[in-house]
Amino acid sequence: MARGTTLEQLTVMLKAEIGASPDYAANADMNFVYHQYLRRHYENLYDGWAWPFKRIERDIATAAGQRYYDWPAEIDGEQELEFWVDENGTWIRLEQGIGPGQYNSYEEGDRQDYPYRWDWQGEDQFEIWPTAALDGVTLRIVGTKNPNKLISESDVCDIDDQMVVLYAASELLLRDDPNRAQQKSNMAQQREDVVKKKLQTRKRLTMSGRSTERPAYGNTKVIAIRGQS
């Protein structure tokens, strides 16, 4: 499986699959069209399956008294999320939701060593409660990686390049050569099956052993909240 292929390289591969000159500069006015087909199939394939490399973590350090933090752009806020805080080597999971009950528990400006809840603040920030009394406490967000955007020629594809190219080629050929279009579609589906099977096999091998439970973050424990709910 080849990941990390640039949009320019994908375009050259697509041209070759549909029988056009594989020179990127040849008939360059069509590259915009090729980019659109590649981008659409790439995004549909990326969103359509739980590729294991989509699961990522981002750490954010607290600033004493700071209530709002910028959302890490790499993580998709519309997918399932987990928030954790490192309390001296023990990872505590934060509950989502901050409302009047929480605000009534602490006066404005009150701080605790560690926050216990989080919630959205607009679309680009999140809030923690209560505000941390310490600088440098680690908040860990676990979620789904946003796909790389295939906009510039140097942007790279997160998933298998052959799979993306073959699906795009199938659609491009559909009007003028339906037989070849079907052939490319079959090849794309076969490639997708192969790629997914390899990843599923790797996942099973990784999980085989004494436990199939998700690895814990150190001495992990889960809390609902401390103090008044």
Side-chain angles (χ1 to χ4, degrees):
M1 180 176 69
R3 297 170 50 208
T5 304
T6 66
L7 179 57
E8 180 176 349
Q9 292 169 324
L10 290 171
T11 305
V12 170
M13 293 169 64
L14 178 58
K15 287 182 172 185
E17 290 290 344
I18 64 174
S21 170
D23 183 355
Y24 185 78
N27 199 16
D29 57 334
M30 282 294 295
N31 285 346
F32 176 82
V33 176
Y34 298 143
H35 292 173
Q36 175 59 25
Y37 277 74
L38 289 164
R39 184 161 46 242
R40 177 158 48 79
H41 283 284
Y42 161 64
E43 291 177 358
N44 286 340
L45 288 163
Y46 186 93
D47 291 337
W49 199 65
W51 307 102
F53 43 79
K54 289 168 62 172
R55 195 71 170 166
I56 60 170
E57 305 168 354
R58 290 295 180 269
D59 288 351
I60 296 173
T62 63
Q66 184 172 332
R67 182 173 173 182
Y68 304 118
Y69 294 82
D70 291 335
W71 185 256
E74 304 96 326
I75 294 183
D76 185 351
E78 296 182 355
Q79 303 291 329
E80 180 183 358
L81 298 166
E82 297 175 11
F83 263 72
W84 301 80
V85 62
D86 181 5
E87 292 194 10
N88 292 319
T90 298
W91 288 97
I92 308 295
R93 185 169 179 175
L94 277 63
E95 290 291 311
Q96 183 179 1
I98 302 172
Q102 284 72 51
Y103 294 132
N104 290 339
S105 299
Y106 292 92
E107 297 293 334
E108 183 69 25
D110 283 354
R111 307 176 187 182
Q112 294 293 310
D113 287 348
Y114 303 98
Y116 308 125
R117 283 184 178 255
W118 77 277
D119 212 343
W120 287 102
Q121 178 64 31
E123 294 188 1
D124 301 321
Q125 289 190 313
F126 66 91
E127 175 184 1
I128 59 173
W129 174 91
T131 55
L134 306 171
D135 289 324
V137 172
T138 300
L139 299 171
R140 175 164 293 172
I141 304 174
V142 183
T144 301
K145 179 184 180 297
N146 279 314
N148 291 330
K149 299 297 184 182
L150 295 183
I151 304 296
S152 302
E153 295 169 351
S154 59
D155 291 341
V156 298
C157 177
D158 280 315
I159 59 178
D160 183 79
D161 52 8
Q162 293 186 48
M163 184 172 59
V164 174
V165 167
L166 287 168
Y167 275 117
S170 174
E171 186 179 2
L172 279 166
L173 290 167
L174 187 59
R175 185 181 64 178
D176 297 327
D177 196 340
N179 289 333
R180 286 186 65 207
Q182 185 60 55
Q183 180 187 44
K184 297 297 181 184
S185 178
N186 293 340
M187 294 170 66
Q189 292 171 24
Q190 291 171 1
R191 182 62 182 174
E192 183 177 356
D193 289 343
V194 168
V195 170
K196 289 180 176 179
K197 184 176 180 180
K198 288 172 64 177
L199 289 172
Q200 288 171 328
T201 300
R202 185 178 71 176
K203 184 177 181 180
R204 287 195 299 270
L205 290 172
T206 300
M207 295 181 68
S208 64
R210 288 183 294 178
S211 175
T212 59
E213 295 181 0
R214 182 177 176 182
Y217 292 105
N219 299 316
T220 306
K221 53 186 176 181
V222 178
I223 63 169
I225 193 169
R226 294 182 184 175
Q228 182 177 341
S229 62

